[in-house]
Amino acid sequence: MIAPMWRGWVRTERVGEYVDYIDRTGLAEYRRTPGNLGAEMWTRDLGDGRSEVTTVSWWRSLDDVRGFAGDDIERAVFYPEDDEYLVGRETTVTHHEVARQLR
């Protein structure tokens, strides 16, 4: 199992709007992509007017990740309205092999 992880930063007062937006765009696309096993979005108030948003998803294989991200799986996928929310972003995605999982 593969777990890609990405982080971005939004103004804290807009974090709820951004979470809703990503649920309608990125997470919805995850759900439609064969091989996706689920995803979570985490938020953390940094106390300086920004909140960090982290997405983690689970996939059967790197080929399944390519079905979502395209051939360059290390390049983050962005959506048209991201610039309205994001005040900072990672442009790459890290991919982790899940060694153990607690269920």
Side-chain angles (χ1 to χ4, degrees), residues 62 65-75 77:
L62 286 173
V65 174
R66 284 184 192 92
F68 168 77
D71 288 335
D72 186 358
I73 63 171
E74 302 217 356
R75 188 182 67 210
V77 173

Side-chain angles (χ1 to χ4, degrees), residues 1-2 35-38 58-60 98-103:
M1 183 185 321
I2 304 299
N36 177 261
L37 302 173
W58 297 275
W59 302 81
R60 287 185 311 217
V98 177
R100 300 215 181 206
Q101 185 178 29
L102 177 64
R103 291 183 185 235

Side-chain angles (χ1 to χ4, degrees), residues 39-102:
E40 292 183 355
M41 192 178 332
W42 307 333
T43 64
R44 179 171 70 115
D45 186 334
L46 300 176
D48 63 359
R50 296 176 308 141
S51 287
E52 182 178 83
V53 178
T54 303
T55 59
V56 180
S57 55
W58 297 275
W59 302 81
R60 287 185 311 217
S61 69
L62 286 173
D63 284 335
D64 291 328
V65 174
R66 284 184 192 92
F68 168 77
D71 288 335
D72 186 358
I73 63 171
E74 302 217 356
R75 188 182 67 210
V77 173
F78 295 104
Y79 294 90
E81 295 175 38
D82 281 336
D83 289 340
E84 293 180 29
Y85 297 100
L86 293 168
V87 297
R89 67 182 87 184
E90 293 179 339
T91 58
T92 58
V93 177
T94 58
H95 295 81
H96 305 265
E97 192 167 319
V98 177
R100 300 215 181 206
Q101 185 178 29
L102 177 64

